[in-house]
Each structure stands twice: as C-alpha cells, then as structure tokens.
Amino acid sequence: MSILSVFTPVIERGLALHKMIRLITHGLGGEGYLNFEGNEFGHPEWLDFPRDGNDNSYWYARRQFNLPDDHMLRYKFLNEFDCRLQWTEEKYGWLHSEQAYVSLKNEQDKVIVFERAGLLWIFNFHPEKSFTDYRVGIHQSGTYKVALNTDSPSFGGFGRVDENTRFFTTPFAWNGRKNFLQVYIPTRTALVLALE
C-alpha cells in the first residue's frame, strides 16, 4: 500500500470499493452508522485475541493506528475520505433525515441513484464502464454542486470529475421524479450532489 509502489488495478479496485461501500451504507442506512475500530482507514489485518486456536498469540490483538499517519502509505486516503464523509454528514444531516428515495437501480449499468436529506447520491459500481451525460431523476429543481466525490485525488482517486462543475436540472419527469440532470459518472465512483 505504499504510494511508491505501482498503483495496480487490484489496489485501485480495493480503494474505490472500500469508499463506495462505506458511502452507500452511510447514505441508505438507518439513523446511525456503526464503524468497527480501524475500518475508517482500511486496516489490513483482522483482530484476533489470544486463544488456543492461535497459540495464545497477541500478534493480531492490536490495531495499527499509525498507518494513516504514514504519508508514504495509501491508508491516509481512506482515512481522509472517512473524515470528509463524517464532516459532510454533519453538514447535511442525512442520518437524522427521512429515509432515502431510491429512484434508480440499473442492474445492467450497475448504477444506483437515490435522494436523501436534499442530496442526490449517484453510484456507478460498473467495473469497466464510465457514463457520460447519464440522466438521473431528481425531485427538487435547481443547480447542484459536488458535495462529495469518491474519485477525488485527496481520497486516492483519479480526479476524473471536475468538482467545480455545476449540474442544472431540466423540468422533465425521469425515473418517477419531476426533473432530471445529467452527470459524468466514472467507473467505480460515487458522487453526492447538493443544491447550491
């Protein structure tokens, strides 16, 4: 996980899916979010207390909280994403809002879209396909901006989405919503858009 080693497809996939799974769980979950110690930065080892099955070893009975502080390791990206995720939730408060309205679950495209707390959540789980001008329905009209982007370079992503882009709704019903907007959604990326 060193930033000096090759950024292989396996590492890229792991980082991308770790962020997306955490985000979709946070967004679609109930009124709270439980995080096991170390998951915020993708702790690489399991936790196993001394017992007969491991020869009473203490080797895995610890968490390596130093990993995200080492700027030569990619764990810092996952930790930064978790910090931004918690900060964004505090700002918009989706955990104490009404449950989400899921407007799209496209199995072929591997795209999930829902609205919660006035935010538009867009997930592309496709392993290969990115979508340009992907049309998604939304209830509230207006201009939207990026509130959270899993592909941000500060989270170890490729920066394929310009976070200064503004998204404008069109008053035409789509996926059971009053309006739609179009987005570029790269492979294995999630965006959370907020009304400007």
Side-chain angles (χ1 to χ4, degrees):
M1 285 289 282
S2 169
I3 60 173
L4 300 177
S5 64
V6 178
F7 194 45
T8 66
V10 172
I11 295 172
E12 184 274 326
R13 175 182 177 266
L15 287 174
L17 290 177
H18 183 89
K19 293 178 285 187
M20 293 178 71
I21 291 166
R22 290 177 63 74
L23 183 61
I24 200 166
T25 303
H26 217 286
L28 283 177
E31 299 163 351
Y33 182 77
L34 180 62
N35 182 43
F36 188 74
E37 198 174 22
N39 285 355
E40 63 273 13
F41 59 88
H43 197 280
E45 296 176 348
W46 61 92
L47 190 60
D48 191 11
F49 292 104
R51 57 186 174 81
D52 289 339
N54 68 8
D55 295 325
N56 292 309
S57 172
Y58 283 87
W59 181 253
Y60 291 109
R62 60 185 167 70
R63 284 291 180 203
Q64 297 180 52
F65 291 108
N66 61 312
L67 294 177
D69 296 331
D70 187 338
H71 295 289
M72 299 302 287
L73 297 176
R74 289 190 171 98
Y75 298 105
K76 66 181 180 180
F77 298 128
L78 297 175
N79 195 56
E80 181 61 31
F81 175 75
D82 189 75
C83 291
R84 184 71 61 84
L85 173 63
Q86 303 302 333
W87 181 88
T88 306
E89 194 288 323
E90 188 174 316
K91 180 176 180 180
Y92 294 101
W94 60 76
L95 287 178
H96 59 269
S97 70
E98 296 287 321
Q99 285 298 306
Y101 179 86
V102 180
S103 60
L104 178 67
K105 294 179 285 187
N106 187 315
E107 180 62 34
Q108 183 176 349
D109 292 345
K110 311 249 182 280
V111 172
I112 299 172
V113 178
F114 61 90
E115 294 168 67
R116 188 170 186 189
L119 302 170
L120 180 63
W121 307 63
I122 308 164
F123 293 80
N124 179 6
F125 283 97
H126 203 287
E128 300 168 352
K129 290 185 183 176
S130 297
F131 300 101
T132 304
D133 297 328
Y134 201 88
R135 189 177 286 192
V136 296
I138 187 160
H139 178 73
Q140 180 67 46
S141 62
T143 303
Y144 286 78
K145 64 181 180 179
V146 175
L148 193 59
N149 169 17
T150 63
D151 194 47
S152 171
S154 61
F155 308 143
F158 294 106
R160 295 170 289 191
V161 174
D162 181 356
E163 295 185 17
N164 294 314
T165 301
R166 295 301 180 253
F167 303 91
F168 305 96
T169 58
T170 300
F172 183 83
W174 192 261
N175 290 334
R177 309 311 278 160
K178 294 180 182 179
N179 305 283
F180 75 83
L181 54 78
Q182 292 177 282
V183 297
Y184 170 58
I185 185 76
T187 180
R188 289 192 183 124
T189 296
L191 295 173
V192 180
L193 304 182
L195 196 59
E196 197 166 52

